[in-house]
Amino acid sequence: MYDWVKKIRKRLLFGGFLCLSYNLYFICLLPDVKVGYLLYLDALLAACALVYGWAGYLVYRKNEAKKQEYLTYESVIFQEFAGMEHYEIAEHDVRVLSGQLKEQFDLNCDLQDYIAKWCHEMKIPLAACLLMNRNIKDGGLRGQMQEQLERMNTQLNGALLGCKVQSKLFDIQVKAVSLSECVKASVRNNQFFLIKNRFELELAVEDVKVYTDKSWLVYVLDQLISNAIKYVSGNAVLKIWSVSEGDAVCLYVEDHGEGILPEDIHRVFEKGYTGSSHHNGKYKSTGMGLYMAAKIIKRLGHRISVESEPMRYTRFAVRLGKEGHSQI
């Protein structure tokens, strides 16, 4: 609006200057001319200026409405305004920025591929270390060593899957899988730490088929169970159960650990957010686990939510479509 007013003001000042000039010319240099004719000409020119200004304002309003509509789009829209001022400059800048973004995107993809290959290579000697660790005679040392190796294995798996999620080729194979098998696979992945922390495990998952990608769903469950293990406080209880709701099934994962503060509950799925409880100083969280889990859930077409009361419980709910019902 300001640009349009500024442009009209300049034109009015220029038109006013011309009008004043020819009026002074007629009055001072042509005294025989009738003033009525001059006033008639002024009125005619003023009417034309008003019509021109009103027409310009209507065009401006139309373009503004069109621009506001385009601004809601998630694609490049500068091509829709080919007649705007300095369009060539805007087109040049968009072309340059697109090239820079593509170059950076390719570099990021190369880095992700490198990290993924590195994780695969590291898993081989890590598996060998886990096997050799069984030969350690000292039971205490053997347990401590296994704990660190298991942590390394968990972190490598997380990094590997994180690279896959960020990749431009996000491999998803959605099909009917057993929900109970997914839960059991995740429990097996975390069994060392569940046993070490003496968790009381309560499973009540229906043997129902859900429409999802098993490997990615197991990864999400790993993150939720890992969270329960990290923030265990006194009563080490982990409950996992499911409830059928028509064409969907809701899977619940609940622990009785530290819980989440009310001011943190709406931010737990944000990238890099670690909360304000500082995890009792026991863990240095990256804030990426739940972020990645939420991102995967979204790509799978599922829903995830959380509710909690500090020092009482934290309950995650994952809503999935049953076999043949991918839309929830």
Side-chain angles (χ1 to χ4, degrees):
M1 185 66 178
Y2 175 76
D3 293 338
W4 181 81
V5 171
K6 190 175 180 180
K7 186 184 296 184
I8 291 297
R9 184 185 300 166
K10 289 181 179 179
R11 292 179 180 178
L12 288 176
L13 288 175
F14 181 71
F17 174 75
L18 290 179
C19 183
L20 179 62
S21 298
Y22 82 73
N23 272 274
L24 290 175
Y25 172 78
F26 274 95
I27 293 173
C28 299
L29 301 179
L30 300 174
D32 296 335
V33 175
K34 293 182 179 181
V35 178
Y37 291 160
L38 184 60
L39 294 177
Y40 175 77
L41 180 60
D42 287 342
L44 185 62
L45 291 174
C48 291
L50 286 174
V51 172
Y52 172 78
W54 180 250
Y57 177 72
L58 292 178
V59 172
Y60 166 79
R61 287 292 300 272
K62 182 179 179 181
N63 289 337
E64 277 295 305
K66 187 177 181 181
K67 183 174 72 174
Q68 293 302 321
E69 178 186 354
Y70 284 138
L71 288 175
T72 61
Y73 297 170
E74 296 183 357
S75 57
V76 178
I77 60 173
F78 80 100
Q79 297 96 333
E80 305 295 335
F81 296 89
M84 69 179 183
E85 294 183 68
H86 310 304
Y87 173 79
E88 295 81 2
I89 296 177
E91 185 178 22
H92 168 269
D93 289 349
V94 169
R95 186 169 59 251
V96 170
L97 290 174
S98 297
Q100 293 175 349
L101 287 173
K102 185 180 184 304
E103 181 180 356
Q104 189 60 49
F105 179 77
D106 291 339
L107 289 174
N108 289 342
C109 289
D110 291 340
L111 178 60
Q112 289 168 5
D113 291 340
Y114 170 77
I115 294 176
K117 291 177 181 178
W118 181 86
C119 289
H120 278 297
E121 293 297 327
M122 287 299 296
K123 287 178 73 67
I124 298 174
L126 180 59
C129 288
L130 283 168
L131 290 174
M132 289 187 292
N133 184 62
R134 298 177 182 178
N135 297 324
I136 297 178
K137 302 297 183 181
D138 188 331
L141 179 60
R142 183 172 62 249
Q144 292 177 10
M145 182 66 73
Q146 184 175 356
E147 179 178 356
Q148 300 308 317
L149 292 174
E150 291 288 351
R151 290 189 188 280
M152 291 173 61
N153 188 44
T154 300
Q155 293 299 323
L156 278 176
N157 288 333
L160 184 59
L161 290 173
C163 288
K164 290 181 179 180
V165 172
Q166 299 292 341
S167 173
K168 56 185 176 181
L169 297 176
F170 182 57
D171 184 25
I172 296 180
Q173 297 180 1
V174 177
K175 57 184 178 181
V177 298
S178 170
L179 183 59
S180 62
E181 285 299 319
C182 293
V183 172
K184 291 176 183 177
S186 182
V187 170
R188 284 195 298 270
N189 292 343
N190 294 273
Q191 64 181 347
F192 175 81
F193 295 104
L194 289 172
I195 295 172
K196 179 180 180 297
N197 289 276
R198 299 182 179 180
F199 265 84
E200 179 184 341
L201 190 61
E202 299 180 14
L203 296 180
V205 181
E206 303 172 71
D207 188 16
V208 62
K209 297 286 186 178
V210 293
Y211 202 61
T212 188
D213 184 298
K214 182 178 179 179
S215 60
W216 289 116
L217 181 59
V218 169
Y219 172 76
V220 171
L221 294 176
D222 284 347
Q223 297 305 311
L224 301 184
I225 295 176
S226 175
N227 246 41
I229 296 171
K230 284 181 182 179
Y231 308 135
V232 61
S233 177
N235 190 17
V237 176
L238 179 63
K239 300 179 181 179
I240 305 176
W241 73 97
S242 62
V243 177
S244 291
E245 301 174 357
D247 294 334
V249 59
C250 203
L251 180 67
Y252 296 93
V253 179
E254 178 180 304
D255 67 80
H256 295 176
E258 292 182 20
I260 304 171
L261 298 176
E263 58 267 28
D264 295 337
I265 194 72
H266 65 288
R267 300 186 62 187
V268 294
F269 297 118
E270 290 184 7
K271 184 177 182 179
Y273 190 72
T274 58
S276 54
S277 65
H278 305 294
H279 327 306
N280 287 334
K282 293 185 295 184
Y283 293 95
K284 293 182 179 180
S285 177
T286 62
M288 294 296 292
L290 291 180
Y291 164 75
M292 298 298 292
K295 192 168 185 177
I296 291 170
I297 286 293
K298 183 178 180 181
R299 292 202 184 186
L300 290 174
H302 308 326
R303 297 177 188 172
I304 187 170
S305 59
V306 59
E307 58 179 287
S308 179
E309 289 187 23
M311 303 311 298
R312 289 194 61 191
Y313 74 92
T314 298
R315 182 186 302 127
F316 289 92
V318 180
R319 186 176 172 85
L320 312 95
K322 288 184 180 179
E323 184 177 0
H325 298 278
S326 59
Q327 299 297 324
I328 304 174

